[in-house]
Amino acid sequence: MAFAMRGTGSGRRSLLAAAALLLSASLPAAGEEGRQAGAAPDARQPALLPLPAHVSNGSTVELQCGRTYGGTLDLKGKYRVTVRTVGDCGKAAITPAQPVADWARHQGNIWSAALRFEPAQVAIGDKALERAHFPNKPQTWAKGKSRNPATLEYRMPNGDLDGALLVYRPFDWMIETRPIADYKDGVVTLGPKTGDAFDPPEKVDFYVEGKLWMLDSPGEWAYANGRLYLWAPDGKSPEGRAWAAPASNGIDASDSRQVTIDGVRIFLAQVGIDGGNSNDLHILNSEIRNSGQDGIFAGGKGLLVDNAAIANSVQNGIYGYYGITDSVVTNSTITGTGTAGMPKRSKGGIVFEEASGQRIANNKVLQSSYIGIRVHRNALVANNLIDGACLVLTDCGGIYTFARDKQALNVRIEGNTVKNLAQRYAHGIYLDDHANGVVVTRNILAGNPGGLQVHNGFGNQIMHNVFSGSAYEHILFNDTGEGGHIRHNRVYGNTFISDRGGVTYRLWSVRDEEAARRFGQFNDNRYSSTPGDFAEVAGIGMLDFSGWKRRMKQDDRSSLKAERPVPRGKTM
């Protein structure tokens, strides 16, 4: 029996299995040489078992350990359902992907097989491949011109762009996509954009993907005329180890109530677990890999994620949608968000937008293309490790919050370690867009371009943190608006170690020195810094520590331990 369902009050009852196992999506290959149909299947490509077609409210779905189930588990609108692995031979797996067989050599190291659908993702074993693209790595972006929102000028090496996708950067912090409608004489005509997407700027970084002529490197794939083409990373036949996935989810728990998913593995889904508009969705001890969009998407109320491992999500690891409330993410590891394959739009490893009531604690967020952890209102972010964020996009934070409505956030950021961020305008902690009512305390911010940024923020407390190895500045106060937005912040009891040449403070303002004087109060801090370039202040320039104390009337109880200068980018 592939699975069982336990119903409340009715004892154990078996579900009728599907008439046959899920069919491979392959069609017979024809007219090509080098067929590998007789090759033994790879151990990483197990036979797929069917998922239950109907799940009753109040039931428990038991999946057998070590087995792989094909399709999407439909829990939409269900309540009081538990999904769990039974047995001790490893997590049961769910995937909408299908194995692809009957490969034939196309040319060189490129193989092809018939496929009835256009895939959203393709993998060899557990490694997701890149859709074929131009330009080729190590170059990621080509540079073109856009004279209006509907066109891009660039002389392509091949005119076949029908159905291709343009991926472009309207800003350093954003990646957008548009379908290509036409190409002629060096001018790309773009299809309609989705929603409020940004248009290409006049000078635009871009790449295009999705055409067979772009398939020219190991680890890429393309789909054309009902056939899947790929070049495996090792150059060998894909037989027995290739997967193709449609744009389908692993588990659909949208509109559900009191659903628990415990000890399950999901791979190659568009969204691993979709909990849109759900209440009390609990995801425990589960693993989600290679999601084409989000590992977990949730809205509604009462999300709990504990002891989860989420890796290589193309866009977001955990995405709490607008309006979600009372969410908890604990003891989980989120790795490689937005960094697997070619860059796409990503909001972060753990993301809650326009949300209220988040507790994000004791997690590891590793190697994210953009933000590590993003929260909004009434949130606690405590004892997390963020190691490697802002690896692709900038204007970014390891931990990020914002308050565009200027209302108090009531956010506490405590006991976290944020290190090894990339990009010039990446800060370990980023209080953006009028953030106020935030307490930042007892964090370690090490080896980042910047330690912390306050952008138009007010009424925040920054206390008892340790800043070290900031390449440009430990704290940036960035006043970009009229009316004196930055004010009444307190910076006290912190330790600053300047061992990479960055200054301690930058106080930027579109106005003058008097505005910068109102940014906050600084005292009881310990500084280890070069005696000279201590702080850069709007309307003044660079100040040494004595000038900072005298002219800004700050840090009268603070101390400075003078260090010799170290070239930027070096460590002592």
Side-chain angles (χ1 to χ4, degrees):
M1 183 166 54
F3 56 82
M5 187 169 74
R6 296 180 183 271
T8 56
S10 61
R12 185 182 182 106
R13 58 191 177 91
S14 300
L15 293 176
L16 294 175
L21 298 179
L22 293 179
L23 295 174
S24 165
S26 308
L27 291 170
E32 299 193 40
E33 298 180 355
R35 187 181 307 278
Q36 298 289 310
D42 191 281
R44 290 169 294 181
Q45 195 173 31
L48 296 179
L49 301 177
L51 287 161
H54 302 286
V55 176
S56 300
N57 292 324
S59 65
T60 297
V61 178
E62 296 182 337
L63 304 177
Q64 296 301 308
C65 67
R67 307 302 296 270
T68 301
Y69 295 78
T72 300
L73 180 58
D74 185 6
L75 304 179
K76 182 178 177 64
K78 301 298 181 181
Y79 63 88
R80 289 190 293 112
V81 171
T82 296
V83 180
R84 68 186 183 193
T85 294
V86 293
D88 57 3
C89 57
K91 294 180 177 66
I94 296 173
T95 181
Q98 301 179 11
V100 183
D102 293 329
W103 290 89
R105 190 184 298 276
H106 174 64
Q107 62 182 29
N109 290 320
I110 299 175
W111 298 74
S112 80
L115 193 62
R116 290 190 175 97
F117 63 91
E118 182 168 1
Q121 292 193 89
V122 173
I124 293 291
D126 61 358
K127 180 176 176 55
L129 307 184
E130 297 177 359
R131 194 185 297 261
H133 51 84
F134 170 83
N136 215 0
K137 287 183 174 178
Q139 181 182 357
T140 301
W141 307 98
K143 295 185 179 296
K145 295 181 179 180
S146 179
R147 300 181 189 274
N148 61 70
T151 63
L152 181 144
E153 297 177 10
Y154 187 88
R155 186 68 61 177
M156 297 288 182
N158 190 305
D160 178 17
L161 292 173
D162 183 34
L165 187 71
L166 176 77
V167 184
Y168 62 95
R169 298 184 68 164
F171 306 101
D172 286 342
W173 49 270
M174 174 65 71
I175 297 174
E176 298 279 22
T177 59
R178 294 271 291 274
I180 294 177
D182 190 28
Y183 174 75
K184 185 177 180 181
D185 298 330
V187 178
V188 177
T189 301
L190 304 180
K193 63 182 181 180
T194 302
D196 59 354
F198 293 100
D199 294 319
E202 182 178 356
K203 295 181 179 179
V204 56
D205 291 348
F206 76 94
Y207 67 88
V208 290
E209 65 176 16
K211 302 300 294 185
L212 182 56
W213 63 265
M214 304 173 189
L215 205 174
D216 54 8
S217 297
E220 295 182 351
W221 65 273
Y223 183 77
N225 302 317
R227 296 191 70 82
L228 175 61
Y229 297 82
L230 71 78
W231 185 339
D234 60 7
K236 298 179 180 179
S237 167
E239 194 67 42
R241 56 192 184 130
W243 296 89
S248 299
N249 299 335
I251 297 177
D252 182 359
S254 58
D255 301 311
S256 67
R257 303 292 182 269
Q258 299 178 34
V259 164
T260 298
I261 298 162
D262 191 355
V264 174
R265 183 168 68 92
I266 300 169
F267 65 96
L268 289 174
Q270 189 72 356
V271 175
I273 299 174
D274 182 355
N277 194 36
S278 62
N279 279 1
D280 300 320
L281 173 62
H282 293 181
I283 301 168
L284 313 175
N285 311 308
S286 294
E287 177 184 340
I288 304 172
R289 295 182 61 86
N290 296 327
S291 300
Q293 188 169 316
D294 306 326
I296 297 171
F297 175 87
K301 180 179 181 180
L303 172 70
L304 169 63
V305 180
D306 184 65
N307 195 32
I310 301 171
N312 300 334
S313 302
V314 172
Q315 293 192 3
N316 310 298
I318 299 172
Y319 184 14
Y321 196 59
Y322 291 87
I324 190 170
T325 63
D326 303 326
S327 303
V328 176
V329 180
T330 53
N331 307 308
S332 297
T333 301
I334 294 88
T335 305
T337 303
T339 60
M342 294 294 287
K344 294 290 196 302
R345 181 174 183 175
S346 175
K347 296 187 176 184
I350 300 174
V351 179
F352 288 88
E353 289 190 314
E354 304 290 345
S356 180
Q358 307 109 73
R359 181 164 69 88
I360 316 297
N362 303 310
N363 302 288
K364 296 180 180 179
V365 183
L366 313 175
Q367 303 300 303
S368 304
S369 69
Y370 195 36
I371 292 166
I373 297 174
R374 176 172 179 159
V375 295
H376 193 221
R377 188 158 274 121
N378 302 317
L380 171 66
V381 183
N383 304 318
N384 302 282
L385 169 65
I386 296 93
D387 188 350
C390 314
L391 299 182
V392 176
L393 301 171
T394 189
D395 192 20
C396 172
I399 300 173
Y400 176 95
T401 191
F402 66 105
R404 295 184 187 126
D405 60 5
K406 304 182 183 179
Q407 300 302 305
L409 288 170
N410 187 28
V411 168
R412 188 174 184 90
I413 301 171
E414 181 172 9
N416 304 280
T417 297
V418 185
K419 61 182 182 178
N420 299 324
L421 273 58
Q423 311 298 327
R424 166 62 183 95
Y425 293 108
H427 289 80
I429 296 174
Y430 191 172
L431 310 183
D432 195 13
D433 288 346
H434 311 287
N436 66 96
V438 180
V439 175
V440 179
T441 185
R442 303 189 187 281
N443 301 282
I444 297 173
L445 308 171
N448 302 306
L452 183 147
Q453 181 180 170
V454 178
H455 176 219
N456 294 339
F458 56 94
N460 302 296
Q461 297 186 66
I462 302 163
M463 57 186 185
H464 309 307
N465 304 284
V466 177
F467 297 77
S468 68
S470 299
Y472 295 95
E473 67 276 321
H474 289 313
I475 297 183
L476 167 63
F477 286 91
N478 188 11
D479 182 10
T480 61
E482 299 297 329
H485 293 299
I486 299 183
R487 61 193 183 277
H488 305 315
N489 299 287
R490 296 187 66 202
V491 180
Y492 61 94
N494 301 283
T495 298
F496 297 89
I497 304 169
S498 299
D499 54 4
R500 289 179 66 190
V503 302
T504 302
Y505 299 119
R506 294 189 196 274
L507 277 59
W508 288 352
S509 176
V510 295
R511 289 169 299 137
D512 53 24
E513 173 187 347
E514 289 305 312
R517 289 180 186 276
R518 295 189 291 270
F519 283 2
Q521 295 177 319
F522 304 73
N523 224 329
D524 299 312
N525 298 297
R526 294 184 299 171
Y527 301 103
S528 176
S529 174
T530 58
D533 296 343
F534 179 81
E536 183 187 40
V537 180
I540 299 176
M542 199 66 69
L543 293 173
D544 61 15
F545 185 56
S546 296
W548 163 263
K549 294 175 68 175
R550 182 181 64 256
R551 189 153 181 176
M552 301 300 292
K553 295 181 172 52
Q554 300 286 358
D555 277 314
D556 64 297
R557 297 190 304 273
S558 299
S559 63
L560 171 71
K561 178 183 177 181
E563 302 285 356
R564 71 180 188 273
V566 178
R568 179 169 296 160
K570 302 290 185 180
T571 57
M572 295 182 65

